[in-house]
Amino acid sequence: MKEVELRVAVLRRDVLDTQAEELAQALDTVCGAAEQADPVAREILGAVMPTLTDVTLVERFDALRAIASAEALLPLGRLLRRPRSSPEVRERSSTDERLLATSRSGRVLTLGERRALARRPSRAALDALMRDPHPLVIRNLLGNPRVTEDDVIRMAARRPVATEVSVEIARHPRWSQRSRVRMALVQNPGSPPEIAVPLVRLLIRPELLQVAAAPDVPRQVRAAAAELLERRPPLAGKGKTASLPQ
């Protein structure tokens, strides 16, 4: 397991095993430092992000949300704030078979066939599955060693994007740690706000400025970017150079 994936696994274990009050205090400290552009805190927070979309941890984060509210842990509360999905994100249409891979005879492949195909090292097979909306196919595709970062960015940026596809990318321990992938998810109007808004907290200043000014990005995502810009420390003055991106 690569270092970044190991980090995500360790953070997930900590989320599961640490006492809720202790975890809330620790995450609040990390969130506050990340808001101030601390690079170590932002890296830690990035490793926590995949757990936010883990359905097995919903109750855990509900408990942390309650603690943040009761104890006025404001940075943690901002991370766990529940944004409302826009109608276009909430509504799900039936699967468009034109997006599904087909056999040589033109028959639409079954889900099992597409899942198996997503594990193969064939470039042609991978290209045929890039538009597949099923999360199990996307999960296998993201784990295929032949898939590149550019492939994942195309999937994350595709419009319209299936909610399930955004979720699978955001929870993947490897691809969720790539800044270009995060940016593609944040900028896609079809990404659920419950994914896009927390990811905003990992963006650096130029990315925040871009998101805050993008007219096609949902209002609440733009608002989150603008809010975070206000909380970031000022840039180094004229004649000084900031050592790290903010």
Side-chain angles (χ1 to χ4, degrees):
M1 184 180 291
K2 295 183 179 180
E3 180 182 350
V4 64
E5 295 175 70
L6 179 60
R7 187 186 308 126
V8 172
V10 169
L11 263 295
R12 187 182 189 282
R13 184 195 63 198
D14 289 344
V15 168
L16 282 169
D17 296 344
T18 307
Q19 290 289 333
E21 291 77 8
E22 180 184 351
L23 178 61
Q25 293 289 344
L27 285 177
D28 186 66
T29 299
V30 169
C31 290
E35 288 182 350
Q36 296 300 304
D38 181 88
V40 175
R42 196 159 54 201
E43 188 173 277
I44 295 171
L45 189 58
V48 172
M49 286 296 178
T51 66
L52 294 180
T53 57
D54 190 330
V55 294
T56 66
L57 296 176
V58 170
E59 292 184 2
R60 184 64 161 167
F61 282 108
D62 282 345
L64 292 174
R65 190 177 291 108
I67 293 171
S69 177
E71 300 187 12
L73 304 179
L74 302 183
L76 178 59
R78 286 190 286 270
L79 173 69
L80 299 181
R81 185 185 298 159
R82 282 177 166 166
R84 296 176 59 186
S85 293
S86 58
E88 61 270 21
V89 172
R90 288 197 300 266
E91 292 176 1
R92 297 183 183 182
S93 58
S94 57
T95 300
D96 186 347
E97 291 194 350
R98 293 174 299 178
L99 303 179
L100 306 182
T102 60
S103 66
R104 291 182 179 178
S105 65
R107 175 182 63 84
V108 173
L109 299 182
T110 67
L111 174 59
E113 290 172 328
R114 300 190 330 264
R115 291 180 66 186
L117 194 62
R119 296 190 183 97
R120 295 182 184 176
S122 164
R123 186 69 239 181
L126 299 182
D127 288 340
L129 294 169
M130 289 294 171
R131 293 169 60 86
D132 200 295
H134 201 286
L136 295 180
V137 176
I138 297 302
R139 190 176 304 171
N140 288 355
L141 202 59
L142 294 173
N144 191 312
R146 290 293 185 92
V147 168
T148 68
E149 182 173 341
D150 285 342
D151 291 330
V152 180
I153 290 170
R154 283 198 298 273
M155 287 190 283
R158 190 178 303 282
R159 303 183 186 187
V161 63
T163 297
E164 294 83 358
V165 172
S166 297
V167 170
E168 288 300 325
I169 296 172
R171 70 164 47 138
H172 194 275
R174 177 186 178 191
W175 299 118
S176 65
Q177 305 305 297
R178 303 294 181 92
S179 60
R180 293 169 63 220
V181 173
R182 292 170 180 162
M183 190 64 170
L185 287 171
V186 168
Q187 289 185 295
N188 193 327
S191 292
E194 55 267 29
I195 288 176
V197 170
L199 287 177
V200 165
R201 305 198 165 276
L202 302 175
L203 304 183
I204 60 176
R205 186 182 296 272
E207 294 169 334
L208 290 170
L209 289 168
Q210 185 176 340
V211 170
D216 57 340
V217 170
R219 179 186 54 78
Q220 54 195 321
V221 179
R222 285 186 279 117
E227 177 188 44
L228 193 53
L229 279 168
E230 292 179 356
R231 296 183 184 281
R232 287 285 163 91
L235 291 173
K238 189 174 182 180
K240 299 180 181 179
T241 303
S243 58
L244 290 168
Q246 297 183 355

